[in-house]
Amino acid sequence: MNELEQKMAEREQNNGFMRHNYIEMESVERDRAVFRLTIRPESKNPYGMVHGGAIYTLADNATGVAAHTDGRYYVTQTSALHFLRNQSEGTVRANAWVRHRGRSTVLTAVDITGQDGRLIATGEFTFFCVDKSVMDAKVEQKA
């Protein structure tokens, strides 16, 4: 595991929502991240397919980590995710990359592929850069 992967893995240990949804980071490098979701009964909608919210959560986490690879702190500002097909079993992967970095925002893109490599969803997420000390203070207030 390289230094960036180690740093992002430590950050993700505090992401209870990601763990709750059985999402795992596979790899990370500067401006890129790959995440996976192994479909479980809890991941499925009433039709037996992976829930759109699970796919969105996978995409948001992968793009967020790609954004964070510059060492700054971000929150999701906007997103658009286009669902193209679905699957009921196996693993889905999110391949995320940074398309543009500005002073206060980062534009990322993501492709979600199924076990067969076919595109399930595609989208873009914009992240807003936040001051780490402000976010730390919010965490301390809740403790």
Side-chain angles (χ1 to χ4, degrees), residues 105-137:
T105 62
V106 175
L107 174 64
T108 62
V110 63
D111 283 341
I112 308 293
T113 54
Q115 192 146 327
D116 60 1
R118 293 180 66 195
L119 193 62
I120 289 178
T122 187
E124 291 184 331
F125 286 66
T126 302
F127 292 87
F128 182 74
C129 187
V130 295
D131 185 308
K132 181 182 183 318
S133 63
V134 171
M135 298 309 286
D136 288 346

Side-chain angles (χ1 to χ4, degrees), residues 22-113:
Y22 304 100
I23 294 170
E24 299 173 282
M25 183 175 62
E26 284 191 348
S27 66
V28 63
E29 59 188 62
R30 175 71 180 203
D31 294 341
R32 294 192 161 280
V34 178
F35 277 57
R36 77 171 168 262
L37 166 66
T38 302
I39 300 170
R40 301 171 49 99
E42 304 92 323
S43 309
K44 295 181 181 184
N45 64 25
Y47 305 107
M49 306 299 279
V50 65
H51 194 284
I55 293 171
Y56 180 91
T57 300
L58 176 67
D60 188 38
N61 278 277
T63 54
V65 166
H68 280 84
T69 60
D70 69 350
R72 298 193 309 169
Y73 293 80
Y74 297 93
V75 293
T76 307
Q77 185 176 37
T78 63
S79 64
L81 191 62
H82 307 281
F83 296 91
L84 308 172
R85 64 180 42 85
N86 209 330
Q87 79 181 42
S88 61
E89 303 292 333
T91 301
V92 293
R93 282 188 171 70
N95 294 293
W97 64 96
V98 171
R99 295 189 62 166
H100 173 76
R101 282 193 187 277
R103 285 187 315 243
S104 60
T105 62
V106 175
L107 174 64
T108 62
V110 63
D111 283 341
I112 308 293
T113 54

